[in-house]
Amino acid sequence: MSVSTADTLPSLLGRSLSSQYDRVRRKVHDLVDPLSDEQLWRRPYPYGNSVGHLVLHLTGNLSYYIGAQIAGTGYVRDRPREFADPSRRAKDDVLRDLDGAVDMVLAALAAQAEGDWGKAYSAVGAEGVADRLTMFVRCAAHADHHAGQIIYLCKQLALDRAPA
């Protein structure tokens, strides 16, 4: 992404954050695409999450903090279910929901006018976040954090299926 003197800080912020969210989406797809539906929901460690539950969590996080609170989607979050959903949905469905959440975030970013970045923000679980810009940044960092966990889980799943 090149920066010209015509770029305003708000437009640069929007493009930069959009690029980050899209990068995380592509990374998650690259990691999840080779997994079977069974592997998606397997918990390689008894104390941790499955890849599928982390993807549900990323989807719920974006859908609530940006969708419901900024884009006005009306999304109602059930955070505990993100980590315990027993439905074991098909991988394609889970990824489609993640894509929908990321697309919504990209649209919300594109819709931010210069004065919108500093608008007051509040939500359950977002204590310490005072404005929209901070929430967009926090959600991007959160998504990156969980993408890192998914990398680790996928490496373990690969070891579990490797011939001895």
Side-chain angles (χ1 to χ4, degrees):
M1 169 182 355
S2 65
V3 179
S4 74
T5 55
D7 282 325
T8 64
L9 184 56
S11 66
L12 182 59
L13 282 170
R15 284 197 323 273
S16 180
L17 285 166
S18 292
S19 176
Q20 172 66 11
Y21 282 106
D22 197 51
R23 184 191 67 77
V24 169
R25 175 204 339 232
R26 287 190 318 272
K27 183 59 154 174
V28 170
H29 270 272
D30 289 347
L31 292 163
V32 172
D33 284 341
L35 300 178
S36 68
D37 285 353
E38 188 279 325
Q39 290 170 317
L40 181 71
W41 298 108
R42 185 183 313 151
R43 293 177 189 256
Y45 304 102
Y47 52 83
N49 296 299
S50 69
V51 170
H53 286 102
L54 288 175
V55 176
L56 293 179
H57 176 60
L58 286 175
T59 302
N61 180 272
L62 296 174
S63 297
Y64 174 69
Y65 287 115
I66 296 174
Q69 304 302 321
I70 295 175
T73 63
Y75 179 83
V76 176
R77 189 176 192 191
D78 183 354
R79 188 178 184 279
R81 187 170 179 86
E82 294 166 13
F83 295 103
D85 186 335
S87 68
R88 300 174 65 93
R89 293 172 42 217
K91 173 179 64 175
D92 290 343
D93 292 343
V94 173
L95 288 173
R96 188 174 22 259
D97 287 351
L98 175 66
D99 287 342
V102 172
D103 288 343
M104 175 275 305
V105 170
L106 299 180
L109 283 164
Q112 298 305 295
E114 187 167 350
D116 293 335
W117 296 102
K119 282 187 177 176
Y121 183 95
S122 68
V124 173
E127 293 73 19
V129 174
D131 56 67
R132 288 181 176 189
L133 173 60
T134 302
M135 196 69 244
F136 278 114
V137 171
R138 183 174 287 182
C139 284
H142 177 263
D144 214 35
H145 168 76
H146 286 304
Q149 289 179 324
I150 292 169
I151 291 169
Y152 186 75
L153 291 174
C154 287
K155 286 181 179 184
Q156 186 59 48
L157 288 167
L159 288 174
D160 290 349
R161 69 178 179 258

